[in-house]
Amino acid sequence: MLKEIITSDIGESYVKAVHSSGLKIYILEKPQYNSCYAIFGTKYGSIDNCFSVNGEQTQVPEGIAHFLEHKLFESEDGDAFSKYAKTGAHANAFTSFDKTCYLFSCSNLFYENLEILLSFVQSPYFTEATVQKEQGIIGQEIRMYDDSPGWRVTFNMLLAMYKNHPVRIDIAGTTESIAKINADLLYKCYNTFYNPSNMFLCIAGNVETEKILKMVEKGIKESTPLEIERVKPNEPAEVLKPVVEQALPVAQPIFSFGYKLPADKMPTVKERICTEILLEALAGDCSPLYKRLMEDGLINDEFSFEHFCGDGYNAIIFEGESVDPKKVADEIKAEICRIAEEGINKKLFAAIHRGLYGNAIRGFNNVEGIVMQMVDCAMNDTCLFDEIKYLKSITVDDVIKRLAFLDNEKTVLSIINPLSEE
């Protein structure tokens, strides 16, 4: 097994190892901590519904990655949750647009819990009967989210922003798409994307690296690495529809306002940090815009923003509640134009920069946060200490350059309005 120790100047270090199967392993020891956190994951999410292996292309129903996540907890001898219940660990899993992760946290019996994790994720068990049962369960979940204003406002925005890219489709799929899922398709996707060469194991806490690596050597099943080609449709630069509205039971309108950014390549760590600083300067709680919107009663504490990016998609999204979402969108557009002309206040930049650097340092005091950063490293082949490294050298000019990608002509405003009283 290939292994390297990566150190930083903040007194932290971690081990990155690569198993002979291609599995990436990240371990950061925190011997002074009581808790441990682990994720065993795969680079497989809801957008991977068309793929090619050895020249054979496969199209699968939307929502199958999420469906597979649900089914993997089951086995012929019971489910993984019942096993974790005996050890006292907290276990869970999630599927996003580009990954599926299985996790647990515990304060004791770590190695027993790790054995459970490595075992059930590598032991698929699907039958047509259990698949049909799960279709009913996930169908109810989909209908529940269809009635959720917070969920719908975001996905309505993505549907209006993207014409062809599968990021526009709900992670769980639709009731129609999951009805097409069967055991054979689940095994096809499992054998493709759950190949260790496409997976990662990330661990932080009161653990022993060498003991973990020995368990991995023993516990990872032999397999031949696969070359997986994700097939994505062509996506136009323009948005599909600039405004989309829906009525649901909400007290006041909620909105999701998105900027469609170029997505020809994944942003680098430095570019993502610069974008984060830009968003704080633009609409963070210390920004002139945020203060003005709050004073005018146009937003409240629910206001938020994020840089949303992955394979073939890239967007800036602002969300919140407002009596006048269109006014909020206009104010954001105007503030972008103002910053383009006047730049970012140096004191504001310095305050944001110090805050982000402090947060990055403090992040190493939380094992869950560390592991989630490791997952990002595994997904993008980056280093756990890259954020701290780049924060030391980023300038105002670096941040301003990211402003050029926010085109006021490539936006979508999604609004959920209160139901009519009639």
Side-chain angles (χ1 to χ4, degrees):
M1 186 181 300
L2 298 174
K3 183 177 70 173
E4 64 176 318
I5 300 173
I6 301 170
T7 60
S8 73
D9 56 6
I10 62 168
E12 298 284 354
S13 64
Y14 69 98
V15 169
K16 177 183 177 182
V18 181
H19 187 258
S20 58
S21 65
L23 174 71
K24 293 181 180 179
I25 305 152
Y26 299 78
I27 305 168
L28 193 149
E29 295 185 9
K30 284 281 190 179
Q32 71 276 30
Y33 281 49
N34 292 324
S35 58
C36 306
Y37 199 94
I39 284 181
F40 192 15
T42 175
K43 298 178 183 179
Y44 177 44
S46 65
I47 64 173
D48 299 313
N49 55 25
C50 187
F51 54 91
S52 178
V53 177
N54 297 325
E56 178 187 346
Q57 186 167 309
T58 302
Q59 180 80 43
V60 294
E62 294 158 352
I64 195 167
H66 172 260
F67 200 104
L68 180 52
E69 172 224 310
H70 275 231
K71 295 305 301 170
L72 209 53
F73 278 94
E74 295 181 8
S75 66
E76 291 184 273
D77 61 344
D79 67 87
F81 283 119
S82 63
K83 296 176 182 179
Y84 280 124
K86 295 177 181 178
T87 66
H90 170 74
N92 210 335
F94 66 87
T95 302
S96 68
F97 293 105
D98 58 2
K99 59 184 171 290
T100 305
C101 293
Y102 302 85
L103 60 95
F104 73 82
S105 60
C106 64
S107 55
N108 52 43
L109 301 178
F110 170 78
Y111 300 102
E112 290 86 340
N113 289 315
L114 179 59
E115 186 174 0
I116 294 171
L117 181 66
L118 295 176
S119 176
F120 87 82
V121 174
Q122 295 184 92
S123 305
Y125 174 70
F126 315 127
T127 68
E128 292 304 332
T130 59
V131 169
Q132 288 179 12
K133 179 183 177 181
E134 197 67 36
Q135 284 168 336
I137 295 170
I138 294 180
Q140 289 180 332
E141 182 180 331
I142 290 170
R143 287 187 287 273
M144 179 184 70
Y145 279 113
D146 281 343
D147 294 331
S148 169
W151 191 260
R152 281 269 50 90
V153 74
T154 301
F155 274 93
N156 287 351
M157 187 275 295
L158 292 175
L159 279 166
M161 178 174 285
Y162 290 94
K163 181 180 180 180
N164 300 316
H165 196 283
V167 75
R168 68 195 304 272
I169 304 299
D170 193 309
I171 290 169
T174 65
T175 52
E176 293 78 17
S177 69
I178 65 168
K180 301 173 185 176
I181 295 173
N182 57 44
D184 288 340
L185 282 174
L186 289 172
Y187 277 114
K188 173 81 171 181
C189 292
Y190 179 87
N191 290 328
T192 299
F193 293 101
Y194 283 73
N195 185 289
S197 62
N198 191 57
M199 300 183 73
F200 47 84
L201 176 65
C202 303
I203 297 170
N206 188 0
V207 298
E208 297 177 26
T209 298
E210 292 305 319
K211 191 170 182 178
I212 292 171
L213 295 180
K214 287 179 181 178
M215 288 184 66
V216 171
E217 284 283 16
K218 181 180 178 181
I220 295 298
K221 296 180 179 179
E222 292 186 10
S223 61
T224 303
L226 292 179
E227 289 291 333
I228 307 168
E229 179 188 354
R230 273 88 167 169
V231 181
K232 299 292 188 300
N234 292 326
E235 176 65 36
E238 295 74 26
V239 302
L240 188 60
K241 189 177 181 182
V243 180
V244 57
E245 299 188 54
Q246 183 181 1
L248 287 171
V250 292
Q252 70 172 349
I254 62 175
F255 69 89
S256 180
F257 178 55
Y259 278 79
K260 190 175 187 178
L261 277 57
D264 52 326
K265 64 180 181 66
M266 185 69 179
T268 65
V269 174
K270 182 177 180 179
E271 288 170 341
R272 282 190 283 163
I273 295 170
C274 288
T275 302
E276 186 177 1
I277 295 173
L278 175 61
L279 289 175
E280 288 289 343
L282 173 65
D285 55 12
C286 291
S287 68
L289 174 66
Y290 181 86
K291 293 176 182 177
R292 189 165 67 249
L293 293 175
M294 287 290 283
E295 289 170 358
D296 293 343
L298 288 171
I299 60 171
N300 55 27
D301 291 341
E302 296 298 314
F303 182 73
S304 65
F305 49 80
E306 68 169 310
H307 183 197
F308 172 73
C309 60
D311 184 10
Y313 61 93
N314 193 9
I316 298 296
I317 303 173
F318 302 88
E319 294 189 327
E321 301 175 346
S322 178
V323 294
D324 191 348
K326 293 180 180 179
K327 177 66 173 176
V328 174
D330 288 341
E331 289 290 330
I332 292 172
K333 289 180 178 181
E335 185 67 3
I336 287 172
C337 293
R338 186 194 69 80
I339 293 178
E341 293 180 4
E342 301 176 11
I344 297 173
N345 179 279
K346 291 184 178 180
K347 288 185 178 180
L348 177 60
F349 171 81
I352 294 170
H353 187 272
R354 286 195 301 270
L356 291 180
Y357 188 81
N359 288 340
I361 299 294
R362 285 190 293 274
F364 285 92
N365 294 326
N366 180 279
V367 291
E368 179 179 351
I370 292 169
V371 170
M372 291 308 299
Q373 287 186 64
M374 287 175 166
V375 170
D376 187 75
C377 292
M379 292 291 298
N380 299 297
D381 196 24
T382 55
C383 171
L384 193 58
F385 306 124
D386 280 350
E387 182 179 7
I388 292 172
K389 179 181 72 174
Y390 287 116
L391 275 170
K392 290 180 178 180
S393 60
I394 284 173
T395 65
V396 174
D397 288 340
D398 292 327
V399 175
I400 290 294
K401 288 177 183 177
R402 304 304 299 164
L403 198 64
F405 297 99
L406 275 68
D407 187 341
N408 281 339
E409 299 301 317
K410 296 177 182 176
T411 64
V412 173
L413 176 60
S414 168
I415 305 172
I416 300 294
N417 290 306
L419 291 170
S420 172
E421 295 182 359
E422 296 180 1

